[in-house]
Amino acid sequence: MAVEFDRAKDAANVEKHGLSLALAAELEIRAVLVDDRDYDETRYRAFGTIGDAPYCLVFTWRSGVVRAISLRRAHLKEYRRHVG
């Protein structure tokens, strides 16, 4: 999937989670949820895998493109809750 992201957000994500947002392009999405928190735009949380490891991607749609906001390893409990 095509993914775009802000360089500053990418640097912050690398510092916080040790992952570049560029890896989001490799995510095999299994479930997508609408994030019900109050933001200026609709945000989504996608749960899926990269290789055999579970991940959570926070993103929004901008001009028909996935705009990555955060990518991190998903906790197994939350992954199972949303993916099954």
Side-chain angles (χ1 to χ4, degrees), residues 1 24 27 44-47 55-59 66 68-71:
M1 103 181 113
L27 185 68
Y44 304 90
R45 287 185 294 146
F47 291 90
Y55 286 85
C56 177
L57 170 67
V58 176
F59 70 96
V66 171
I69 297 167
S70 174
L71 178 67

Side-chain angles (χ1 to χ4, degrees), residues 63-84:
S63 302
V65 177
V66 171
R67 179 87 172 170
I69 297 167
S70 174
L71 178 67
R72 63 174 174 77
R73 287 287 301 264
H75 300 283
L76 197 52
K77 185 176 181 179
E78 75 177 328
Y79 182 81
R80 287 181 179 152
R81 179 177 2 151
H82 298 299
V83 176

Side-chain angles (χ1 to χ4, degrees), residues 1-6 9 21 24 29 32-35 39-46 57-70:
M1 103 181 113
V3 176
E4 65 180 32
F5 51 86
D6 178 82
K9 287 254 188 216
L21 294 174
I29 296 174
V32 177
L33 310 167
V34 175
D35 192 328
Y39 294 104
D40 292 337
E41 59 193 355
T42 303
R43 291 187 179 185
Y44 304 90
R45 287 185 294 146
L57 170 67
V58 176
F59 70 96
T60 190
W61 286 100
R62 289 196 188 156
S63 302
V65 177
V66 171
R67 179 87 172 170
I69 297 167
S70 174

